[in-house]
Amino acid sequence: MPKTPIAVIGAGAIGRTHIDRIVRSDSLQLAAIADPTDAGKALAQSLNVPWFADHHSMLDRTQPRGAVVATPNSMHISMAVDCLECGVAALVEKPVADTVAEAQVLVDAQSRTGVPVLVGHHRRHNPINRRARDILQSGQLGRVVTANVMATFLKPDPYFNVAWRREKGGGPILINLIHEIDMLRFLLGEIASIQALSSNAVRSFAVEDTAAAVVRFENGALGTLVLSDTATSPWIWDFCAGEQDQYPRQEVQSHFIAGTHGSLSLPDLSMWSYRGERSWHAEITLEKTFVHKADPYTWQLEHFGALIEGRVEPLCSALDGLRTLQATLAVSEAAATGQTVEVNKP
Ligand SMILES: NC(=O)c1ccc[n+]([C@@H]2O[C@H](COP(=O)([O-])OP(=O)(O)OC[C@H]3O[C@@H](n4cnc5c(N)ncnc54)[C@H](O)[C@@H]3O)[C@@H](O)[C@H]2O)c1
């Protein structure tokens, strides 16, 4: 079977992650790279694929079936819509947009053109999360009552030499917490309302370095998320799920979900339940599920290929990207206003 041609727009850090996986894929083929930099051109030459300085000339001169949009956030929507208008499916990196209104433009373009869109919340493609969702949907935990998420880690000082990372919107709520919000939405369903606090007490930049949020899910469950990029701590999914070699692997857990009949920690997929009497005085049983390890970025791209072929529905649609962005922005708004923010749907 011929490989599905995929172009990459934006060959920076995450663009190169995608390029690396496409080049090694049995079902996908790197069709072109669009990136104005010399480094982007050199990468295209080294891989012997066409290079373009911008996505317009790429779309004019090549016919990929899909394109990965891995450019800075503010460019995502216009580039993705240009792809859809040319009949090219788009895998759009997260956050899908800077604002909910922009994200809505993509949702509308997708329904108008009927061309597939996948938003790059890659954790959904990790087999650990797929298994966790199966466990939750099977009802083994009973009615879910709480979810606790830890995301505390240390960004080194040189990281902040780039100006936008010190400004509002450049901080861990929009860059890191968005992954946690999307994972909770994937596992537990829609978020109804959010309360939050944030602090810049350690670095004193305009941007937050620490935040804590309390969320109410539509199903009635409550959740807490604790976030800091100035903490010497191993408790974050990126360290313990082992998804990226750039972070040293830690044998700790970051997510804790409790239901009336059982509880689950992640990423180790430990599940606790009572076999007999259901009481805090009774013995509790621990079961573990061992899933095969897999690289979620590879699985995400394979899923994108299947989506292009019409074999699957998007695991993270444009609307999912919008709703995850909306709930993440609600954390910032709740922290800024001190008010409970209702997460309205479009
Ligand atoms: N899913 C993940 O795990 C993950 C991880 C990192 C970044 N991201 C997201 O991916 C996006 C890119 O982040 P990054 O860290 O790779 O940034 P980056 O700055 O390393 O890369 C961006 C690239 O886009 C290129 N670019 C700029 N303007 C362009 C244009 N007009 N046409 C084509 N290319 C252009 C730049 O030259 C650069 O190579 C962001 O939205 C970010 O939030 C996702």
Side-chain angles (χ1 to χ4, degrees):
M1 221 170 102
K3 292 186 175 185
T4 306
I6 306 289
V8 174
I9 306 171
I14 197 69
R16 284 166 192 257
T17 299
H18 291 297
I19 288 167
D20 171 65
R21 271 66 172 177
I22 296 169
V23 166
R24 288 191 277 131
S25 169
D26 290 333
S27 62
L28 309 177
Q29 176 201 332
L30 185 63
I33 291 175
D35 187 308
T37 60
D38 289 345
K41 186 175 185 179
L43 180 63
Q45 280 169 348
S46 74
L47 294 170
N48 208 15
V49 296
W51 169 80
F52 299 94
D54 63 83
H55 73 290
H56 293 293
S57 45
M58 185 276 287
L59 289 169
D60 282 348
R61 308 234 320 260
T62 58
Q63 282 89 39
R65 304 248 344 250
V68 179
V69 179
T71 47
N73 303 350
S74 60
M75 300 178 185
H76 289 180
I77 297 300
S78 60
M79 289 179 169
V81 171
D82 288 342
C83 290
L84 300 188
E85 303 284 3
C86 292
V88 175
L91 194 177
V92 189
E93 263 307 339
K94 53 57 57 176
V96 65
D98 281 330
T99 66
V100 173
E102 284 172 342
Q104 186 65 49
V105 170
L106 183 65
V107 172
D108 293 344
Q110 197 288 317
S111 29
R112 188 176 67 248
T113 60
V115 180
V117 171
L118 182 66
V119 177
H121 285 292
H122 64 277
R123 288 191 196 174
R124 291 182 180 228
H125 301 270
N126 191 318
I128 297 169
N129 278 329
R130 290 178 176 222
R131 182 73 190 116
R133 190 158 83 148
D134 287 347
I135 291 171
L136 284 157
Q137 290 184 345
S138 74
Q140 288 175 77
L141 303 192
R143 177 179 172 165
V144 174
V145 286
T146 62
N148 298 321
V149 178
M150 293 292 295
T152 51
F153 56 99
L154 185 67
K155 287 180 180 162
D157 291 342
Y159 176 92
F160 297 97
N161 291 343
V162 182
W164 66 263
R165 291 174 170 163
R166 303 191 294 268
E167 304 302 328
K168 279 194 177 135
I173 293 180
L174 208 54
I175 292 178
N176 306 102
L177 197 74
I178 193 167
H179 288 292
E180 309 303 344
I181 298 269
D182 189 67
M183 191 165 146
L184 285 182
R185 285 191 57 251
F186 182 61
L187 295 175
L188 272 73
E190 294 300 343
I191 291 170
S193 63
I194 295 185
Q195 297 173 307
L197 294 171
S198 67
S199 165
N200 63 352
V202 173
R203 293 203 183 91
S204 302
F205 295 147
V207 72
E208 74 282 348
D209 51 51
T210 302
V214 182
V215 306
R216 183 187 295 280
F217 292 88
E218 284 185 357
N219 64 16
L222 303 181
T224 64
L225 300 102
V226 175
L227 168 78
S228 181
D229 68 8
T230 186
T232 296
S233 147
W235 300 308
I236 180 164
W237 177 264
D238 304 69
F239 292 1
C240 51
E243 287 179 344
Q244 296 179 60
D245 293 339
Q246 59 172 312
Y247 304 117
R249 180 92 193 260
Q250 306 298 336
E251 296 294 327
V252 295
Q253 311 315 317
S254 54
H255 291 66
F256 307 88
I257 299 167
T260 52
H261 287 66
S263 52
L264 183 70
S265 60
L266 298 173
D268 72 341
L269 285 171
S270 286
M271 201 174 103
W272 285 264
S273 60
Y274 293 115
R275 288 289 159 81
E277 183 194 3
R278 291 177 55 231
S279 157
W280 67 348
H281 298 297
E283 289 170 351
I284 195 162
T285 300
L286 167 62
E287 278 177 87
K288 276 188 74 108
T289 304
F290 294 93
V291 294
H292 291 284
K293 262 197 76 180
D295 170 37
Y297 296 101
T298 301
W299 278 43
Q300 180 174 253
L301 279 164
E302 296 301 325
H303 176 77
F304 186 45
L307 179 66
I308 291 169
E309 303 293 337
R311 288 187 276 119
V312 293
E313 291 298 312
L315 201 57
C316 190
S317 66
L319 190 57
D320 278 316
L322 180 152
R323 288 192 174 151
T324 291
L325 174 70
Q326 189 173 39
T328 308
L329 293 172
V331 174
S332 299
E333 186 186 339
T337 61
Q339 304 291 313
T340 301
V341 177
E342 305 294 327
V343 183
N344 298 316
K345 290 192 197 143

